Amino acid sequence: MISIFIQQLRRDGFAQICFAIVIIVIVAGILAPWLAPHDPIETSIRMKYQGSSFSYPLGTDNLGRCILSRLLFGIRTTVFYALLAMALTLLFGCLIGMIAGVFGGKTDEFLMRLCDVMLSFPGEVMILALVGVLGPGIENILLAIVLVKWSWYARMIRGTVIQYTHRNYVRYAQVIGASPGHILKKHILPMTMAEITILATSDIGSVILMISALSFLGLGVQAPTPEWGNMLSEAKNVMIFHPELMLPAGLAIVIVVAAFNGLGDFLRDIADPANRYSHISCQENKTDD
């Protein structure tokens, strides 16, 4: 899968841009304490609404805080927490989906009916309601996202597991007495990793939007912690007089979400054998010409 990814990535310019943006953002978030020119929560009323300069490349906000520094540290609360939420959702959803797919019977029936109950409610409305009940804070956002999204992943992974449980090598492992845990670890999980990766990459963008939206509404990350949605919420109060304050965080959200969505579409395309082989054939025909 990795070799196919590298080969196809070399042929797709847009996917290269998306992949580069994702890597740059992650590295920038990790190195934020060294890249940020100022303390992201340090205020200075004398320096508020400063324009772009060598000391403040993106200017300052209504409290004189460095926008670039807050943007860099905001990667940790916006993107990294989205990645953490997705990891926890995948862990719980994949566990439930694999148990349902492998054991089947009443276990499968009970877990899938539970998924149906969870999927019957609009996801965004449920997350908003849970955060409203639990109270503002990133921990409650993570909990709400996991509780709402796990059922969708469980159903998807369950279908993939059932698909692979009918393969001959899995049936052979069952015949010779291999335990369900051994079958999951050695035969099912490696085959479903590609599907899991594609699902997660495609959905990270929506989780970033959800965290930013809740912070924008005052239900997520609380001030003065830098977070992109929180930065937008603060900038909207002075949007008429200083509309430029909306641009850094707004563009960051749009670019990063688009990059993750583009990367997810690329992974989905290369995972489809028909698309992959047709793409390779087109490249070979161009080479022959």
Side-chain angles (χ1 to χ4, degrees):
M1 183 66 181
I2 296 178
S3 61
I4 296 174
F5 172 80
I6 295 175
Q7 291 174 6
Q8 297 299 317
L9 186 63
R10 291 175 178 175
R11 300 186 177 101
D12 194 326
F14 179 72
Q16 292 176 14
I17 295 174
C18 294
F19 184 71
I21 291 174
V22 170
I23 295 300
I24 290 172
V25 168
I26 292 175
V27 172
I30 295 173
L31 301 179
W34 296 274
L35 296 178
H38 299 278
D39 186 339
I41 62 175
E42 181 182 359
T43 62
S44 176
I45 300 301
R46 294 186 299 105
M47 299 298 296
K48 67 178 183 178
Y49 302 133
Q50 293 292 312
S52 177
S53 63
F54 180 78
S55 181
Y56 297 95
L58 296 179
T60 60
D61 62 6
N62 60 318
L63 295 177
R65 297 171 296 190
C66 177
I67 294 178
L68 177 60
S69 300
R70 291 181 63 78
L71 202 66
L72 290 172
F73 275 91
I75 297 173
R76 295 186 165 196
T77 49
T78 304
V79 179
F80 287 3
Y81 275 124
L83 294 173
L84 176 59
M86 185 54 56
L88 294 175
T89 303
L90 283 174
L91 179 64
F92 189 54
C94 290
L95 178 63
I96 298 299
M98 288 185 177
I99 291 175
V102 171
F103 289 96
K106 293 183 178 179
T107 302
D108 181 26
E109 184 71 19
F110 171 76
L111 293 175
M112 288 304 100
R113 295 296 75 77
L114 183 60
C115 289
D116 291 339
V117 172
M118 296 301 299
L119 291 172
S120 63
F121 299 98
E124 289 76 10
V125 176
M126 281 293 295
I127 292 175
L128 183 62
L130 286 174
V131 174
V133 172
L134 297 174
I138 190 62
E139 297 84 2
N140 293 334
I141 291 178
L142 296 179
L143 179 61
I145 290 174
V146 173
L147 289 177
V148 171
K149 283 185 169 290
W150 72 266
S151 55
W152 188 80
Y153 286 95
R155 181 170 287 280
M156 295 293 293
I157 298 302
R158 178 245 187 191
T160 304
V161 169
I162 291 177
Q163 175 186 353
Y164 286 110
T165 52
H166 295 290
R167 301 292 176 91
N168 290 334
Y169 57 85
V170 175
R171 291 184 179 275
Y172 176 76
Q174 293 172 341
V175 169
I176 63 176
S179 65
H182 176 82
I183 295 175
L184 277 175
K185 181 179 179 180
K186 295 296 184 180
H187 301 294
I188 304 297
L189 186 59
M191 299 302 296
T192 58
M193 283 305 298
E195 184 73 18
I196 293 172
T197 302
I198 294 169
L199 292 174
T201 307
S202 302
D203 204 28
I204 289 176
S206 65
V207 178
I208 293 175
L209 289 175
M210 180 56 64
I211 292 176
S212 299
L214 290 172
S215 296
F216 181 84
L217 296 173
L219 297 174
V221 179
Q222 300 298 299
T225 303
E227 196 278 330
W228 293 348
N230 198 7
M231 292 174 64
L232 281 175
S233 179
E234 294 174 348
K236 81 177 189 314
N237 297 324
V238 294
M239 183 174 60
I240 296 178
F241 302 102
H242 297 279
E244 70 278 1
L245 295 181
M246 300 285 292
L247 292 177
L251 288 176
I253 293 173
V254 170
I255 292 173
V256 173
V257 170
F260 273 110
N261 289 342
L263 190 58
D265 291 340
F266 170 72
L267 291 175
R268 187 183 300 109
D269 289 341
I270 67 174
D272 187 344
N275 290 337
R276 182 169 68 244
Y277 294 140
S278 63
H279 185 78
I280 294 175
S281 300
C282 290
Q283 293 294 331
E284 291 177 349
N285 292 334
K286 290 181 181 178
T287 304
D288 294 337
D289 294 340

